[in-house]
Every structure is written in C-alpha cells, then in structure tokens.
Amino acid sequence: MFKQIGNAIKWIGDHFKGLLFLLILVILFMPSAEAPLKQANLQEIKLFGPIMDAEKILKEIEKANKDDDIKGVLLNVNSPGGSVPPSIEISYAIRELQKKKPVIAYASGIMASGSYYSSIYARKIIANPGAIIGSIGVIMESANIKELMDKIGIKPQLVKQGTYKEAGTPTREWTPKEREELERLTKDTYDLFVSDVAKARGLDINASGTYADAHIFLAQRAKEAGLIDKVGIISEAKEMVAQEANVTKPVWKKKDKLESFMEDLSSKALLQIQSYFYGLKAQF
C-alpha cells in the first residue's frame, strides 16, 4: 500500500506542471454559472496582506477612475500595513479616486498602520465588529548580530563617506548620533502620518494621543476614537457604496477566471505570511 502511495506522489511530482496547466485551462474554459446581463457599475478592490509594493493595486484604482461605467468603489482591506512609500501611494490614489466617485473602505480583518493610512481618504470607513484598527505609528528595527559574527569569526570591512551612512547597520550597536538620526526620521514620518489622518478624518491633531500613538482598537472603540464611521459587515458596506453612488440596481464588476484564480492563490499566500510573521505587529 505504501509503495502505491509513494508511486502516486512521485507521479504527481513528475507531472505537477502539466496538471497545473490543465487546471488553468479548465478554469479558463469552464462555463460561467450565470452571465451578467448588465454592465457592471460598482467595483471591489482588495488590499490584502503586507504592503510591500503598490503597483498592482494602483493599476486597479487607475482603471476604476477611468471607467465611466463604474460609479462607486469598495476598498476591502485586510492588511497589517507595510512599507511607507507604497502605503502613501495607495492613500493618495484613493484620495484622487474619491474626488471623482465614492469610495467606501471596509476593514474585513486588519486595517492597521500602512493599510489604515491607505484607507483614510475613503468617503466612509466601515469595519467588521471583530476587525483590528489603528496602530498609527512608525517602527524601524534591525538586529545587532555583532556577538554572533564574533563567534563565527566574521569581521565586516567597509569604506564610507558620510557620517550617517552606516545608520541602521546590524553589524554593531548604533552610535548615539546614528540613533538620533533614525529617531528623527521616524518622528518625521510619524508626524506626516498623524497629520494626514487628522485632516482626512477631521480629528484634532492636538489630541492625537487618543487615536494615534500606535493604539490598537477593536472596531467599536475605533469608532469612538473617530477612526471609522460605522461597525458592520461587508453586505452593509456594499449597500453603502451603492447608496453613495446613487446606484439603484448594483452590478459588481467580476474579474476574469484566470485573474480571479491567481488572485485567490496570492491572497491566501499573503494572508499565511501575515498570520505567521506579522500577527498583531503592524509595521508602517
């Protein structure tokens, strides 16, 4: 029996690429359960997983902006945040889209740090009752592996120009000047974050300690802090998009089968990475 199982596993391994190709063909040519009778007038854009690059979602936002048939957009968010520049790119792209058509952001899981920044310019923000919101803060970290390098017998060599060129190095402890330089950088980034949140959400920047300062809120407390507008589920978020867009008969845009299949695969992979490596620690 074990030999037969082993042979089956070996056959699958030897023919994996062929099986994957056949699966994609089946997905592509499988008849749809139902064909939409009307032109799509609403669109959902997903922001899932750590934000490391904004290119894909920016293209989706741009297409939605240029498509006159699309009257409203739902930004579905489940992300712990990520890198600073792509988070800001998404945020400002949503701000431009919102000028032309209503955008409702929905926190389906985590809307924290960079992903909250990405959502602030939506017309309204709705969060699932169990969603985690906030973490308005900035973190920069690096390991000090000097002792490990000493044990292994590795000695770094470098040539540099500029006092702070080694700031953030993992090969030794940072000097007081380097730490001061990095603290200044994170403070400037944090001030930009808080300023944009205060403007977008109509909050008092002088009271930022109540809603920023890397506080993490469950949905209801986030609403009380002014970070979101409503606690609800995704059907309510979709209803709000239709209402804000003055659409009486909503038809949501569907992606083609291959694109949807690949997106599902990548989303699941990203969420696995998020659950293993990020947990509640959102980086911006």
Side-chain angles (χ1 to χ4, degrees):
M1 182 181 71
F2 291 108
K3 183 179 180 181
Q4 291 177 340
I5 294 173
N7 290 337
I9 293 173
K10 183 177 184 300
W11 187 89
I12 292 172
D14 293 339
H15 299 84
F16 177 76
K17 290 182 179 179
L19 289 171
L20 182 61
F21 177 71
L22 286 174
L23 177 60
I24 292 173
L25 286 179
V26 169
I27 292 169
L28 283 174
F29 293 103
M30 184 185 300
S32 300
E34 56 181 69
L37 300 176
K38 296 183 179 180
Q39 180 70 36
N41 48 33
L42 299 175
Q43 181 175 343
E44 178 181 1
I45 296 175
K46 293 181 179 179
L47 177 56
F48 284 8
I51 303 172
M52 307 308 293
D53 179 83
E55 183 178 0
K56 181 178 179 294
I57 191 169
L58 288 177
K59 286 181 179 178
E60 287 190 71
I61 294 171
E62 184 180 3
K63 285 182 180 179
N65 200 351
K66 291 180 178 179
D67 190 343
D68 293 332
D69 292 318
I70 298 298
K71 307 301 181 185
V73 172
L74 175 70
L75 180 66
N76 188 343
V77 180
N78 185 8
S79 165
S83 299
V84 175
S87 300
I88 295 176
E89 289 278 2
I90 297 168
S91 180
Y92 290 4
I94 291 294
R95 181 178 62 184
E96 293 306 306
L97 179 61
Q98 167 60 32
K99 292 176 181 178
K100 190 171 180 181
K101 53 194 72 178
V103 179
I104 302 299
Y106 177 67
S108 55
I110 300 175
M111 183 187 279
S113 205
S115 72
Y116 182 74
Y117 202 153
S118 298
S119 309
I120 57 175
Y121 289 108
R123 183 170 297 186
K124 299 286 183 182
I125 301 177
I126 302 178
N128 179 283
I132 296 171
I133 315 293
S135 190
I136 299 172
V138 181
I139 184 170
M140 181 178 291
E141 60 182 353
S142 175
N144 182 354
I145 61 171
K146 184 180 184 304
E147 290 186 14
L148 176 61
M149 292 173 64
D150 289 343
K151 287 181 180 179
I152 298 174
I154 298 175
K155 294 182 180 180
Q157 299 182 101
L158 60 91
V159 176
K160 69 171 184 177
Q161 301 298 328
T163 302
Y164 301 102
K165 195 60 182 176
E166 265 192 290
T169 180
T171 59
R172 58 168 172 75
E173 186 175 351
W174 301 338
T175 67
K177 281 189 175 183
E178 288 171 337
R179 180 171 291 276
E180 183 181 349
E181 183 79 357
L182 295 174
E183 286 177 348
R184 185 183 300 114
L185 175 61
T186 55
K187 179 65 165 58
D188 289 345
T189 309
Y190 177 72
D191 288 346
L192 174 63
F193 194 170
V194 174
S195 176
D196 277 355
V197 169
K199 290 175 185 176
R201 297 293 306 168
L203 299 173
D204 182 1
I205 196 169
N206 296 315
S208 62
T210 61
Y211 58 83
D213 204 23
H215 286 301
I216 301 173
F217 304 100
L218 204 61
Q220 183 56 44
R221 285 189 62 217
K223 183 176 182 295
E224 294 167 4
L227 295 183
I228 67 171
D229 300 288
K230 182 178 178 180
V231 178
I233 56 177
I234 193 165
S235 60
E236 295 175 88
K238 287 186 173 182
E239 286 176 10
M240 183 176 286
V241 175
Q243 290 171 3
E244 294 289 334
N246 295 317
V247 171
T248 55
K249 295 181 179 180
V251 179
W252 289 88
K253 184 175 182 179
K254 293 184 179 180
K255 295 183 178 179
D256 63 68
K257 293 172 185 175
L258 179 59
E259 186 180 4
S260 181
F261 172 71
M262 297 307 293
E263 185 180 83
D264 286 344
L265 282 180
S266 61
S267 293
K268 288 177 182 177
L270 286 172
L271 291 175
Q272 282 294 325
I273 293 171
Q274 174 177 314
S275 64
Y276 281 117
F277 295 104
Y278 279 77
L280 296 180
K281 184 182 179 184
Q283 294 185 341
F284 170 63

